[in-house]
Amino acid sequence: MAKRLILMGPPGGGKGTQAKRLQERYGIPQLSTGDMLRAAVKAGTPIGKQAKAVMDAGQLVSDDIMIGLIDERLDQADCKAGFILDGFPRTIPQAEALDKLLASKNMKLDSVIEVQVPDAKLVERITGRFTCSTCGEGYHDTFKQPKKAGLCDVCGGTTFSRRADDNAETVAARLAAYHAQTAPLLPYYEGKGLLHVVDGDRDMDVVTADLEAI
Ligand code: AP5
């Protein structure tokens, strides 16, 4: 049976970390709208050009762009067995559009999971994050260092990068956007009987076990 879920939570809450684990475990793709936008910025596409300044300011890219991206992505063959939405929807109009898109594609959501982490913990998580430039494996200065310094555990790559929006100032704007525009989705999904809440302020493996149980 197809598994379709949304991972919600604040910036740096661990959505990407956990989505990658669930992707491996269940063979369903992580659909990260942040990754899609960063790829568009890197490729210099018209969407990327529009999105860059908005992302660097920690604000949200327009609903129309995001809904268009997800509409196309859900039609790809690898979404037939399900998907993990990571970073979408982020506004009530996006959630309403998703409901319509899924209905038109004969798909139904199974769960929406909020990974809860207190704001005070998020700045350290985000400013310490870095990624292997070759395979995209994620690391952290304190919480997840490569086994051998300077060498990616997964692919042996030696170059790493940090995101342009991972600085303390932009994190404050991203958090404000989360509380003002995205948190109202929690009661929206609770009302539909789909919402589960997981304490994300624990060891990564413990969080994964909770998600798998759901
Ligand atoms: P996006 O890329 O979605 O960023 P985000 O929501 O801010 O989330 P992050 O990727 O920062 O955090 P995460 O929850 O995935 O945490 P992670 O697992 O990496 O969006 C970026 C921008 O794109 C937005 O600001 C916006 O402009 C735009 N955008 C994207 N989607 C949009 C949409 N739908 N509408 C409009 N605009 C949109 O973990 C963070 C760090 O903590 C890592 O280093 C990790 O190793 C560590 N960590 C994870 N779990 C734990 C743990 N349990 N204990 C200790 N450390 C941990």
Side-chain angles (χ1 to χ4, degrees), residues 163-190:
R163 275 171 43 180
D165 59 346
D166 276 355
N167 55 76
E169 197 178 296
T170 309
V171 171
R174 283 160 62 194
L175 258 177
Y178 178 76
H179 289 298
Q181 288 162 280
T182 307
L185 296 185
L186 300 169
Y188 178 85
Y189 285 118
E190 192 170 25

Side-chain angles (χ1 to χ4, degrees), residues 137-151:
E137 181 69 5
Y139 294 97
H140 192 279
D141 292 330
T142 311
F143 305 125
K144 189 188 163 197
Q145 296 167 340
K147 291 191 182 88
K148 227 174 165 193
L151 212 63

Side-chain angles (χ1 to χ4, degrees), residues 7-21 30 32-38 51-63 65-67 69-70 86-91 94 115 117 121-122 124-131 138-145 163 165-166 170-171 173-175 177-178 181-182 199-208:
L7 275 190
M8 288 194 55
K15 303 180 296 295
T17 302
Q18 297 297 336
K20 285 191 176 64
R21 292 176 173 206
Q30 169 200 18
S32 159
T33 42
D35 286 350
M36 290 177 202
L37 289 171
R38 281 183 287 280
K52 182 164 181 6
V54 179
M55 293 171 78
D56 286 349
Q59 286 160 5
L60 295 186
V61 175
S62 81
D63 289 336
I65 289 181
M66 302 315 303
I67 293 161
L69 280 177
I70 284 295
D86 163 10
F88 183 95
R90 250 175 158 101
T91 63
Q94 289 183 19
V115 181
V117 179
K121 299 279 178 83
L122 297 170
E124 185 188 12
R125 281 208 193 175
I126 291 177
T127 52
R129 169 170 58 188
F130 61 97
T131 307
Y139 294 97
H140 192 279
D141 292 330
T142 311
F143 305 125
K144 189 188 163 197
Q145 296 167 340
R163 275 171 43 180
D165 59 346
D166 276 355
T170 309
V171 171
R174 283 160 62 194
L175 258 177
Y178 178 76
Q181 288 162 280
T182 307
D199 176 3
D201 188 16
R202 296 173 300 160
D203 182 88
M204 290 179 208
D205 294 342
V206 179
V207 178
T208 306

Side-chain angles (χ1 to χ4, degrees), residues 4-5 8 14 16 22 35 42 72 83 95 104-105 127 129 134 138 149 157 161 194 206 210:
R4 302 185 188 101
L5 50 120
M8 288 194 55
L22 297 178
D35 286 350
K42 200 169 169 195
E72 272 181 27
F83 49 78
S104 73
K105 297 175 199 296
T127 52
R129 169 170 58 188
T134 312
S161 56
L194 291 171
V206 179
D210 271 10

